[in-house]
């Protein structure tokens, strides 16, 4: 999004170390300066919490990310204000390339599974997790297919799955 990129650019200019944001500089940035960059009060609180937790070692360093298992990353990162399980799962899939992630709270994944399985009503996340066990250790691939299935109107998706 262009607006978000503009705000990030302003924050990067505000902080002295250049294009890569460091937790210490972010933690020390004043609310007034961040507000002038376009960062809302709620996002400021989230950024400050992220910086504090990074400094405290709760947020793993980049080189540590690949070494931690999925649930350990979920536990550590969801301790940060504004970061939920879904956000971490998207990072696991799209940034870390993890092969066995099924984001059962994602509406697109749930809708795709509902169509694939011929359900009239949405699956509950717990039930989808149970069904998804059979797709291990390739649940990320299943998620990608489920998102794609959800992109089609129901009738087209059902017809394609029957072909």
């Amino acid at each position: 999004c262009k607006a978000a990129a503009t705000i990030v650019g302003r924050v990067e200019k505000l902080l002295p170390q250049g294009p890569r944001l460091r937790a210490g500089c972010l933690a020390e940035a004043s609310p007034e300066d961040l507000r002038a960059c376009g960062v809302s009060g709620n996002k400021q609180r989230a950024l400050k919490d992220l910086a504090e937790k990074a400094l405290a070692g709760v947020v793993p360093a980049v080189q540590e990310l690949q070494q931690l298992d999925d649930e350990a990353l979920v536990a550590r990162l969801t301790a940060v204000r504004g970061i939920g399980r879904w956000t971490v799962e998207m990072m696991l899939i799209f940034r870390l390339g993890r092969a066995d992630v099924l984001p059962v709270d994602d509406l697109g994944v749930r809708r795709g599974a509902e169509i694939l399985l011929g359900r009239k009503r949405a699956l509950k996340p717990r039930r989808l997790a149970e069904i998804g066990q059979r797709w291990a250790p390739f649940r990320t691939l299943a998620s990608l297919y489920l998102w794609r299935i959800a992109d089609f109107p129901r009738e087209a998706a059902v017809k394609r799955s029957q072909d």
Side-chain angles (χ1 to χ4, degrees), residues 18-33:
R20 301 219 86 178
L21 299 178
R22 286 196 200 105
C25 295
L26 189 54
E28 293 171 7
S30 76
E32 296 77 23
D33 286 342

Side-chain angles (χ1 to χ4, degrees), residues 60-73:
V62 173
Q63 52 277 29
E64 193 180 358
L65 289 174
Q66 290 293 350
Q67 297 167 356
L68 292 171
D69 69 43
D70 296 352
E71 286 307 314
L73 280 170

Side-chain angles (χ1 to χ4, degrees), residues 35-92:
R35 173 51 96 186
C37 291
V39 180
S40 70
N42 196 37
K43 291 220 178 1
Q44 284 184 40
R45 289 186 287 282
L47 285 172
K48 294 287 187 171
D49 191 50
L50 176 62
E52 289 168 11
K53 290 206 166 76
L55 291 169
V58 174
V59 175
V62 173
Q63 52 277 29
E64 193 180 358
L65 289 174
Q66 290 293 350
Q67 297 167 356
L68 292 171
D69 69 43
D70 296 352
E71 286 307 314
L73 280 170
V74 168
R76 286 177 66 176
L77 294 175
T78 56
V80 177
R81 176 188 178 99
I83 298 179
R85 182 177 189 88
W86 181 87
T87 301
V88 180
E89 288 172 338
M90 295 305 106
M91 182 193 78
L92 289 168

